[in-house]
Amino acid sequence: MAYQIVDKCVNCTACEMVCPNDAISADVNQFNIDPLLCTECAEAFADPQCTSICPVEGAILDELGEAVNPPGSLTGIIPLVAA
Amino acid sequence: MKLPVLDNDTSLATSEGCQSSGCGSSDDSLTHLPEEIRNKVANHPCFSEKAHHYFARMHVAVAPACNIQCNYCNRKYDCSNESRPGVVSEVLTPAQAVKKVKAVAAEIPQMSVLGIAGPGDPLANPQKTFETFRRLSDEAPDIKLCVSTNGLNLPASVEEICKHNIDHVTITINCLDPKIGAKIYPWIYWDHRRIRGEEAAAILIEQQQKGLEMLVERGVLVKVNSVLIPGVNDQHLKEVSRVVKEKGAFLHNVMPLIAEAEHGTYYGLTGQREPTAAEVEEIQNSCSGDMNMMRHCRQCRADAVGLLGEDRGEEFTLDKIEAMEIDYPAAMEKRAQVHQEILEKLDADSGAAVQPQVPAASRPVRMAVATKGQGLINQHFGHAREFLVYEASPEGVRFVNHRTLPRPYCEGGDTCGEDAESLMAIVIRELQDCEVLLASRVGFEPWSALEEAGIQPNGEHALEGIEEAILAVYQKMQAEGQLQAKQPSLQTA
Ligand code: SF4
Ligand code: SF4
């Protein structure tokens, strides 16, 4: 069970600061989650911390590969759906 | 040493606005402040309109993370075309930031203030922010330190702020009412949760107000910034002004919303309009009965370097500062001397009378000025990226605000670009309330276009002091009989 950061990450460092397990660190172009350290915050908090502070929709995926913060969920900007 | 920059001749008092001769004599001036506060702000370009012609400021971008989302912000970086808060090109480590500050302090000795303003929220990055402050108060004690925040982590940071010689804190307070807040802040990160809507806004507002009170109690100067969002908080800002003043904030800065679609912000993409210059001025005036207003703010980027309105950040990129050798003790001596000279000059200027010799019934006239700083008319029309607008009236000369262009009319070289015509239209629109434009030179083509639009270009006062020149032009207009009737086209505040 682990979350994953993808290349939408803007390197704001917020998730790194709040992760209770020090699972997050900077990589060359983006931040990464160490799958061996990530517990999805299960033991520590009601909500996973990285996805509670990340400002970018779609930057963090859950273990099923789904965006935890899908488009529109943070900014309120609903993406245009092709007609 | 006497520091009367903000405190001069009271004969110029008017009922509103910032008396440009020192921001010092009108109702919304800083004159009522206790002496020790006035001394603290005398060389601060952001607090004193007068000082901002001479003293420079810089921001270092050490604080990337944020703990709230604002609808006027988009968390993308590295867009060097943009000049607005929250945007930077390079995030620095505290060690790099300290090196950069010292390099700038040595190269630009008139730099008096170092701020940490982002690109996220400085207090959401407490380790990086406070390590930078701690090292700077040790290694560069002659630099004033200040920090801006959205206020959410402020109460928790007050102790730490008091440890580091930080004498100014800016809190962005856009509202006191959670209903309004919910339209500005989609979420906050608080107590390990993402909280939304009115609940989020209520927590943020509470922390901001508590932080403000705690800082005032401890004698830290607090300035309040508000973003004016038409239709959202415009009618509410007067109340904000009243309350924050009551709680002890010493300055309120109402700034226009920046909401261009290409910035990708919620407001930009949803068509929220920006306020016009006249609207900003109107709100500033309506707040000024309650509060000192600040009118010369340039909404700097979180890594801005230089005089307000200029950005010399390009000269101090990481690779460039790495290569610089800085002798800070020597720089400090030079800086002390430069600062002393500027303060003496401001001191001397503040004695000069700027009361126009015109009949009391003469109508006010607005004039635009092209300046590179030093309080002089010293910029070519074609090189100006912004104009300062002043109003001359029988009571004196007061600073109104600045008007920014997307780029200068002549971007270097001798050609003025294919889009000179459309730029001219922008200049004319931005300066529609002005009747005169003072610059060190105005080229032939723009001269005719300005004249046609009812803005008289004037190059006769090149290298003269701004206020003296405006005064001279105003008196000449009076002598020529131009000041009798109110012009119908003139926009008044
Ligand atoms: S889910 Fe929790 S443990 Fe896993 S990376 Fe995010 S903050 Fe760290
Ligand atoms: S909070 Fe989101 S955007 Fe910021 S570093 Fe982490 S994953 Fe990247």
Side-chain angles (χ1 to χ4, degrees), chain A residues 3 19-21 23-24 33 37-41 48-50:
Chain A
Y3 278 19
C19 174
N21 297 323
I24 305 179
I33 296 176
L37 294 177
C38 174
T39 58
E40 299 192 359
C41 290
Q49 292 304 290
C50 53

Side-chain angles (χ1 to χ4, degrees), chain A residues 67-78:
Chain A
V68 183
N69 297 305
S73 65
L74 300 182
T75 56
I77 302 163
I78 311 298

Side-chain angles (χ1 to χ4, degrees), chain B residues 20 102 106-107 243 249 261-262 270 317 444:
Chain B
S20 79
K102 288 167 139 183
E107 289 288 312
V243 169
E262 62 263 35
T270 55
T317 50
F444 178 73

Side-chain angles (χ1 to χ4, degrees), chain A residues 10-18 45-56 69 72-78, chain B residues 64-67 69 71 75-77 124-128 186-189 191-194 196 264-266 269-270:
Chain A
V10 298
N11 296 300
C12 78
T13 76
C15 56
E16 183 191 21
M17 286 197 285
V18 299
F45 299 105
D47 303 322
Q49 292 304 290
C50 53
T51 53
S52 298
I53 197 166
C54 178
V56 182
N69 297 305
S73 65
L74 300 182
T75 56
I77 302 163
I78 311 298
Chain B
C66 198
N67 48 8
Q69 176 72 51
N71 279 333
R75 305 306 317 281
K76 68 174 183 188
Y77 305 138
N125 303 258
Q127 272 146 6
K128 291 169 189 156
W187 59 263
I188 67 170
Y189 173 82
D191 196 17
H192 302 288
R193 286 191 305 141
R194 195 187 312 262
R196 298 164 192 267
T265 63
Y266 175 82
L269 293 172
T270 55

